[in-house]
């Protein structure tokens, strides 16, 4: 089975998560950072995984646009969805996952997960640092990607790919 991971990343956290995920998946796995290149020839893939990070409650616009344009085709594929989000409130982060994707796609997905987050203060601009400090009280880098959640996500995808 062929798997495509289409993702959007701003500061590299989602890309880190995607690379961990790819290392745990079986079969032919291709990656597309939708922020840098278009994802084409979706028909070739059996499984498509979509993910990005949450900023101000929303996923990146390029990923949202890609999903909306390709929604009819995506609904014919096995789909995995994930976000990288730094919200500590479990109810709120669950809502962020649900609202990051169109409801029909979310309901269709075979696996959905929040992979955690990273805040690398060296990669943030002055305004981003200021906002994070004021809103969350964060002054130092935090690395809380959950390899356990990424591993569980990969295991579920691998089960489907062997059916």
């Amino acid at each position: 089975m062929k798997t495509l991971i289409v993702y959007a990343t701003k500061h590299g956290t989602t890309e880190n998560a995607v690379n961990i995920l790819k290392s745990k998946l079986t079969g032919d796995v291709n990656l597309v950072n939708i922020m840098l290149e278009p994802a084409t020839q979706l028909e070739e893939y059996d499984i498509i995984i979509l993910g990005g990070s949450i900023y101000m409650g929303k996923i990146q616009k390029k990923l949202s646009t890609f999903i909306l344009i390709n929604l009819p085709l995506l609904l014919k594929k096995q789909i995995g969805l994930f976000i990288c989000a730094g919200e500590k409130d479990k109810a709120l982060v669950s809502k962020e996952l649900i609202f990051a994707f169109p409801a029909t796609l979310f309901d269709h997905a075979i696996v959905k997960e929040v992979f955690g987050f990273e805040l690398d203060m060296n990669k943030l601009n002055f305004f981003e640092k200021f906002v994070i400090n004021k809103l969350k009280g964060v002054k130092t880098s935090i690395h809380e990607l959950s390899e356990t959640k990424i591993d569980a996500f990969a295991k579920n995808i691998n089960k489907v790919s062997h059916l």
Side-chain angles (χ1 to χ4, degrees):
M1 288 212 145
K2 288 183 74 173
T3 301
L4 176 65
I5 304 175
V6 179
Y7 68 98
T9 189
K10 184 173 181 180
H11 295 296
T13 299
T14 303
E15 189 165 48
N16 291 344
V18 164
N19 286 323
I20 295 167
L21 177 60
K22 182 181 180 186
S23 74
K24 296 174 180 294
L25 293 173
T26 58
D28 185 10
V29 180
N30 294 310
L31 309 177
V32 173
N33 178 347
I34 200 75
M35 303 296 278
L36 302 176
E37 61 183 304
T40 59
Q41 301 175 344
L42 302 178
E43 299 82 13
E44 293 180 12
Y45 296 94
D46 305 294
I47 300 169
I48 299 176
I49 299 170
L50 304 161
S53 48
I54 298 294
Y55 289 95
M56 306 303 280
K58 296 186 184 233
I59 204 156
Q60 288 92 340
K61 186 172 177 78
K62 279 193 176 185
L63 184 59
S64 291
T65 301
F66 167 81
I67 292 168
L68 290 176
I69 290 169
N70 294 288
L71 189 58
L73 177 62
L74 293 171
L75 291 171
K76 295 176 184 175
K77 302 288 182 178
Q78 299 284 348
I79 297 292
L81 303 173
F82 76 89
I83 61 171
C84 293
E87 181 57 52
K88 294 287 189 180
D89 181 316
K90 290 184 183 201
L92 184 54
V93 81
S94 292
K95 286 180 183 177
E96 287 179 333
L97 176 61
I98 292 167
F99 293 121
F101 303 98
T104 54
L105 187 65
F106 186 84
D107 293 341
H108 176 75
I110 56 173
V111 61
K112 313 150 198 162
E113 188 57 81
V114 179
F115 287 169
F117 72 104
E118 293 178 326
L119 281 174
D120 187 339
M121 297 307 248
N122 296 322
K123 293 182 179 179
L124 303 180
N125 65 38
F126 175 79
F127 179 72
E128 291 167 327
K129 288 178 189 176
F130 178 79
V131 169
I132 289 170
N133 185 5
K134 289 295 179 194
L135 292 178
K136 301 288 184 182
V138 175
K139 296 180 182 180
T140 60
S141 295
I142 303 170
H143 301 281
E144 293 188 14
L145 273 180
S146 173
E147 195 154 344
T148 303
K149 288 183 178 183
I150 297 170
D151 189 51
F153 186 97
K155 284 180 181 172
N156 284 324
I157 293 292
N158 288 335
K159 283 180 195 171
V160 170
S161 70
H162 295 307
L163 294 179

